[in-house]
Each structure stands twice: as structure tokens, then as C-alpha cells.
Amino acid sequence: MAIDDREISEPLRVVRVLRNGKRYFDRASKERLIDACLEPGVSIAGLALSHGINTNQLRKWVNQRQDRQAASKGLRVVTNCVAPSAFVPVVAAAPIARPPAPSARPTSPRVRLRASLPNGVRLELEDADAEALSAMIEALGRCDVPAG
């Protein structure tokens, strides 16, 4: 349903004004204004300004209409999206059971690793073999830590 300019240019008709200044608007003209806001490319702020109402109030009416429509269809509307966590999950790994190394096979050298991340976290890995070191480096490589 397209809304033409004549329908949305009509001012909202005030039905009642309380002593504190709160205004009650004609339901039909309010619904026409909300319909106009839902048209693509329409500025809600511009419509609110041209009709003499607060932009936040008009946005609230539009959101309430969308919530009612979603509820009637059995949908749930999520308006506030939560940003992903900036923390990296820590998972404790069980020690790896290794068979005893035969004396003919050389043991891998023991190393010490110290890492200071840009977010102030310091990691230390002492007396580890090359496999543990490569696993640590691989795990650190998967972390997306912003620099500075």
C-alpha cells in the first residue's frame, strides 16, 4: 500500500490535551503516520518534524506497531543486540598421556615461553617440550586481540 504525499501531509489531529501538556491523537491519523514511516526511503525524523511531534515518540509508535505485528504472527522481535564478548574463553586441557619414550629416541628439548599480549595479559610456559610450544603458538594465533 503506497501512501501519497497528501495523506501524510495532513497534521495529526489532537483529540485531548491534559493539564500537563500530554496530547492524545486521533487513532486514524496516527495510524496513517505510522504507515507512512514504514514506507521505504521515508525519514521518520522528517515526518515527526513536519507533524509537530517528537521523533522518539514517533519511533516508539512504529516499534510498538512492529512488535504487535510480530506477536500476532508468533515471532519474537529482538531489538537490542548484544555485542560479542571481548574476552577469549579459557579451556583447561587434560594432560596428554604419553607412553614412556624409548631410550633410543631422543627427547625433545625443554623450552620456556613468555608472551605479553596487547591487552596486558602475560602468559608464561616453562619447561615445555616443542609440541606444547607449538600448541601454545597455534592457540595464540587463533585469538583475535586488537593491538594497542
Side-chain angles (χ1 to χ4, degrees), residues 102-148:
S103 60
R105 195 170 91 188
T107 61
S108 59
R110 300 307 222 181
V111 293
R112 172 187 276 177
L113 170 71
R114 288 185 185 180
S116 295
L117 300 178
N119 61 357
V121 174
R122 294 175 53 135
L123 298 170
E124 290 188 23
L125 182 63
E126 293 185 23
D127 197 29
D129 60 0
E131 290 178 31
L133 179 63
S134 66
M136 176 67 86
I137 292 172
E138 180 183 341
L140 287 172
R142 283 183 270 150
C143 299
D144 184 25
V145 179

Side-chain angles (χ1 to χ4, degrees), residues 32-85:
R32 275 197 309 274
L33 183 60
I34 294 170
D35 289 337
C37 290
L38 294 173
E39 291 292 318
V42 173
S43 166
I44 294 178
L47 283 177
L49 184 65
S50 67
H51 286 84
I53 60 172
N54 187 294
T55 303
N56 294 325
Q57 180 65 55
L58 185 53
R59 284 187 196 281
K60 183 177 177 183
W61 291 345
V62 171
N63 289 337
Q64 286 173 345
R65 156 89 71 81
Q66 290 172 334
D67 290 347
R68 281 193 310 269
Q69 288 174 345
S72 69
K73 292 179 183 176
L75 301 174
R76 190 179 76 162
V77 177
V78 178
T79 55
N80 294 333
C81 296
V82 178
S85 175

